[in-house]
Amino acid sequence: MQYNPGWNSSSVNLLHVRAVGTADTLHYVWSSIGAPTVLLVATESESSSLRVDWKRLLSPTPAGAVWIDPPSSVVYSAAVVFNKVYEYRDSKVPEGLFYPTYDLSDFSWDSINHTLNHTALTAEFRGVPVTDPGGSFSNGSVAFRVTAYESGGRDGLLPSLLHTANSSKVEFVLAGVAPRGNGSRFALEVATVEELGVAQKLRSVRSIDDEYTPTVFEMLSLVAESRNDSSTLSFLQWKATAYGSRTPRREDSIRCRSESLRAANWTLPVSSVVRAYFGEAVGSSYTVSAVNISFGGEEGGVYQEKRYLSWSALLGFGQPPSDTFSPLVISITAAALGTPVLMLLGGACLVLFAQRKRYSEYEPIN
């Protein structure tokens, strides 16, 4: 993990996470310059490195300020942008449903230097609006907590996402922000930038196994697929739940919904890092898609009470991790289905045996 490589100031945040394999390298470039963004770049070289022209990056025209050296080693690149936070009230009347939007590109972000943990491979981007006329953020903030992984495993805290060494986790946290109305709900806009030959798809998978995330039976994935061979290139994966506590429990669950994936080329995410890597013509040369992820149940009272909301997602390269049935669920299912089958087989055997014994005293008639 490298913080602001080649730059001595902590006035801006750029975190480079580099995972080196035997013949390839995965690059994650997290930044809060503009809207919070992560670049995902896969290369065919174990010695590929990130290059940053800081003077150009911090200028009004940042195109070409971020690149991977050597450029020929890059086999895939994409970006995920956390663009906006919406606040709205539960109302059947469409007029005046939404409050003014929180544009995350207009936030002031703390230096992550004091939260960067090279041992745990974690960092936290925390920000507040540059202008806050209503004072909603006087005791609150928005944060994005980043975690990298060296090996496969499962998170100890809910929602207990299964991860691999090819993935990283981001946790969106809304803490202490005063709602602007009774029963306010929040939504996060997530945008993706992909090459023209790549298509984004939103998938939903349901399972009866909720051992690791109690009462949550749905997993969603935003998957980038190649149009040529339908291979999966990258993903953003999350459980259909958020939580209203720093130490989440089942009762702290907040319902999470995802709207339909939509094309967003008409509104390019405001991010200097996206323009710095993909160029100023990114809106026409690349595909921009967006999805809104909303948080709140039928009554929406969890955040009103605790003023805390956290939502976790996994992102990475290749196929998203897939949960298999755990031994506990397999044994319970086997017992539930196997017991009636055994009883039927046993009953049939007893009936056949009884019939055979009843007529065994008679001689067959020729």
Side-chain angles (χ1 to χ4, degrees), residues 33-100:
I33 304 173
T37 302
V38 55
L39 295 176
L40 296 92
V41 184
T43 71
E44 289 182 325
S45 169
E46 68 276 9
S47 59
S48 61
S49 57
L50 176 70
R51 295 287 184 263
V52 181
D53 182 340
W54 283 98
K55 185 176 180 180
R56 181 181 297 180
L57 177 61
L58 301 178
S59 72
T61 55
V66 175
W67 71 96
I68 298 296
D69 190 27
S72 59
S73 66
V74 176
V75 293
Y76 173 72
S77 57
V80 177
V81 185
F82 303 97
N83 216 22
K84 299 175 182 177
V85 174
Y86 299 101
E87 182 181 352
Y88 60 99
R89 64 178 183 269
D90 186 24
S91 173
K92 296 182 180 179
V93 181
E95 293 83 4
L97 186 63
F98 285 84
Y99 295 97

Side-chain angles (χ1 to χ4, degrees), residues 271-323:
S271 172
S272 294
V273 174
V274 168
R275 294 182 183 275
Y277 184 82
F278 293 103
E280 293 293 343
V282 61
S284 57
S285 302
Y286 295 84
T287 301
V288 183
S289 305
V291 62
N292 287 350
I293 302 168
S294 60
F295 314 101
E298 296 300 327
E299 299 180 358
V302 177
Y303 183 81
Q304 296 283 343
E305 178 184 350
K306 299 186 178 180
R307 299 284 177 92
Y308 189 87
L309 183 151
S310 70
W311 169 79
S312 298
L314 199 70
L315 53 88
F317 299 86
Q319 287 282 356
S322 178
D323 263 320

Side-chain angles (χ1 to χ4, degrees), residues 10 88 130 141 156 242 246 279 317 326:
S10 60
Y88 60 99
V130 174
S141 64
R246 298 179 187 275
F317 299 86
S326 64

Side-chain angles (χ1 to χ4, degrees), residues 120-158:
L121 301 179
T122 58
E124 179 175 315
F125 297 80
R126 183 183 298 273
V128 297
V130 174
T131 59
D132 184 23
S136 297
F137 280 79
S138 57
N139 295 310
S141 64
V142 166
F144 291 90
R145 296 173 181 167
V146 176
T147 303
Y149 299 109
E150 291 183 314
S151 60
R154 186 182 297 277
D155 280 351
L157 294 177
L158 291 174

Side-chain angles (χ1 to χ4, degrees), residues 242-283:
Y243 292 94
S245 173
R246 298 179 187 275
T247 54
R249 299 168 297 174
R250 181 179 61 84
E251 53 267 31
D252 300 317
S253 178
I254 298 174
R255 188 173 181 179
C256 173
R257 296 176 179 174
S258 301
E259 297 181 5
S260 300
L261 184 67
R262 66 187 189 279
N265 282 18
W266 53 272
T267 171
L268 181 66
V270 180
S271 172
S272 294
V273 174
V274 168
R275 294 182 183 275
Y277 184 82
F278 293 103
E280 293 293 343
V282 61

